[in-house]
Amino acid sequence: MHTHIIPEHMPNWTEKFGYGDFIYLQHHKQGFAKMIKGNQFFREIEENCWNPDLRIKEYEQFNTQVQVVCTIPVMFSYWAKPEDCLDLSRFLNDHIAELVNNHPKNYIGLATVPMQDSDLAIKELERCKKLGFPGIQIGSNINDENLSEERFFPIFEACQELDLAVMVHPWNMMGMKNMTKYWLPWLVGMPAETSRAICSMIFSGVLEKLPDLRVNFVHASGSFLATIGRVEHGFNCRPDLVAIDNPINPREYLGKFWVDCITHDPKMLQYVLDLQGSKKVTLGSDYPFPLGDLEIGRFIEDMQLPKETVEDIFCNSTLEWLKIDKRDYIDV
């Protein structure tokens, strides 16, 4: 339920819009492309970032048929002019919609929307609902603004009304400029970002006001579940700072949202299962990027978990989160 994909060919958005550090691809050698951010090299990616048939073959090695796909977070472009971000979002969403249409047994899509403008975001939400998307992917913050900001609430409200699930992915990591060495933004910043997002949505009352909003926080909640004791203690000892918008203890929300299983550590996953319950833990991989679980849950198979727990992680929890039917992906 957590993989990333990008179109093989895209416009040079920086040239098209006349500003900014938008991403485009330079296909410099067979099977590889350079992601260029504005005019600067960002990273090199392999063909499995865009080739749907290759992805299906690679997944077959791990007895996995269906991939939930969404854009790469660097494509969010929340910093752009809202109308331009809408243009980019529509391009990416149309690509994923076509992919799902061409491979209905193998792909499920999550959309992206211009979160910096609530009206445009809701407009694209409504279009994506008509295209058949079961949900969207958003960032852990929007141009450094927390998801608790009132201007984002109408977007979450629309997701609940449209019955669209939400996947929250860390990006635009806090303190990134001050910790570029040792890959710290990805190793330290990303887990903190996800906890930032969860705390923001709990403390502001978003999850309380919208009880039917189905939210999944990736990377096993980042550092949130690992620090829930500290978060709860802060809520109890300084309610004047923490409980100002929502009087409900944050621990009460465990098991009311989803997280994926990407821990890279069996003991940590067992802890996550103990807190969340298996029906709120989904199979994430972060494929095709190296920091992900590119063996697609093999470590879970080695944990000797109950069969029902494995079934929940590998399939049932994602079906419930996205409100989709397993029978639609099984050939009878």
Side-chain angles (χ1 to χ4, degrees):
M1 50 61 57
H2 173 192
T3 81
H4 299 288
I5 198 165
I6 195 170
E8 182 177 2
H9 302 290
M10 296 188 294
N12 185 325
W13 303 99
T14 299
E15 289 185 359
K16 178 178 179 179
F17 297 137
Y19 71 96
D21 291 331
F22 295 93
I23 291 286
Y24 74 98
L25 300 184
Q26 287 183 352
H27 292 273
H28 61 296
K29 62 181 179 181
Q30 183 65 36
F32 292 84
K34 293 179 181 178
M35 296 182 76
I36 306 298
K37 190 176 182 182
N39 294 311
Q40 300 293 319
F41 172 78
F42 178 66
R43 71 165 65 127
E44 184 179 65
I45 57 176
E46 298 184 30
E47 188 176 359
N48 56 8
C49 268
W50 65 80
N51 185 326
D53 297 318
L54 175 60
R55 293 170 67 103
I56 291 171
K57 290 179 181 177
E58 291 190 351
Y59 262 63
E60 286 175 349
Q61 301 174 52
F62 302 99
N63 301 313
T64 305
Q65 175 190 329
V66 186
Q67 307 172 37
V68 178
V69 293
C70 53
T71 195
I72 303 171
V74 72
M75 299 298 297
F76 286 151
S77 304
Y78 297 145
W79 48 265
K81 296 175 183 177
E83 291 284 355
D84 295 339
C85 188
L86 176 62
D87 192 359
L88 171 59
S89 298
R90 289 174 64 95
F91 181 90
L92 297 172
N93 294 337
D94 287 346
H95 163 254
I96 289 180
E98 182 180 13
L99 171 72
V100 172
N101 185 61
N102 291 339
H103 304 272
K105 301 290 187 181
N106 301 101
Y107 289 102
I108 299 165
L110 299 179
T112 186
V113 298
M115 290 291 292
Q116 66 270 49
D117 186 300
S118 297
D119 290 339
L120 293 183
I122 293 171
K123 178 181 178 182
E124 183 62 4
L125 282 177
E126 293 169 344
R127 190 181 79 94
C128 287
K129 179 67 176 182
K130 294 177 182 177
L131 289 174
F133 282 87
I136 64 169
Q137 175 193 212
I138 68 170
S140 53
N141 70 79
I142 313 301
N143 300 326
D144 297 322
E145 290 189 277
N146 290 330
L147 300 181
S148 54
E149 292 297 316
E150 290 185 10
R151 66 193 197 88
F152 303 129
F153 186 80
I155 301 176
F156 296 130
E157 192 172 36
C159 287
Q160 178 174 270
E161 291 174 358
L162 292 168
D163 213 14
L164 290 170
V166 178
M167 182 178 114
V168 179
H169 197 292
W171 193 246
N172 186 35
M173 283 77 80
M174 64 182 100
M176 186 169 182
K177 293 180 181 178
N178 300 319
M179 57 177 184
T180 55
K181 195 175 182 180
Y182 305 127
W183 214 23
L184 292 183
W186 273 256
L187 302 182
V188 177
M190 278 195 162
E193 274 294 328
T194 307
S195 184
R196 171 188 185 179
I198 298 173
C199 287
S200 294
M201 295 185 76
I202 289 176
F203 294 149
S204 65
V206 171
L207 297 183
E208 188 67 22
K209 296 171 187 174
L210 301 173
D212 295 325
L213 183 67
R214 305 189 312 280
V215 187
N216 197 326
F217 298 96
V218 302
H219 308 153
S221 85
S223 59
F224 177 76
L225 292 176
T227 58
I228 182 60
R230 181 179 181 85
V231 171
E232 180 185 35
H233 183 66
F235 173 88
N236 288 330
C237 74
R238 290 303 305 267
D240 56 314
L241 299 177
V242 179
I244 55 177
D245 292 319
N246 182 10
I248 308 298
N249 188 315
R251 191 177 288 272
E252 295 296 317
Y253 292 91
L254 300 184
K256 293 184 179 180
F257 53 78
W258 285 258
V259 302
D260 74 21
C261 65
I262 305 176
T263 60
H264 308 285
D265 185 302
K267 290 184 178 180
M268 188 62 193
L269 180 59
Q270 185 60 62
Y271 170 78
V272 170
L273 287 167
D274 290 344
L275 291 184
Q276 283 284 111
S278 63
K279 295 190 181 302
K280 288 296 190 291
V281 180
T282 54
L283 180 64
S285 71
D286 223 345
Y287 171 97
F289 298 117
L291 195 54
D293 174 16
L294 300 187
E295 293 187 330
I296 322 296
R298 176 174 286 176
F299 83 100
I300 297 171
E301 294 178 312
D302 294 338
M303 286 177 64
Q304 298 183 333
L305 293 166
K307 180 180 177 181
E308 294 78 9
T309 298
V310 175
E311 286 281 326
D312 284 343
I313 299 172
F314 281 5
C315 182
N316 296 333
S317 299
T318 297
L319 294 171
E320 182 182 354
W321 169 53
L322 296 178
K323 280 195 175 180
I324 54 179
D325 193 329
K326 182 192 295 187
R327 291 172 294 183
D328 292 337
Y329 301 91
I330 298 174
D331 291 321
V332 179

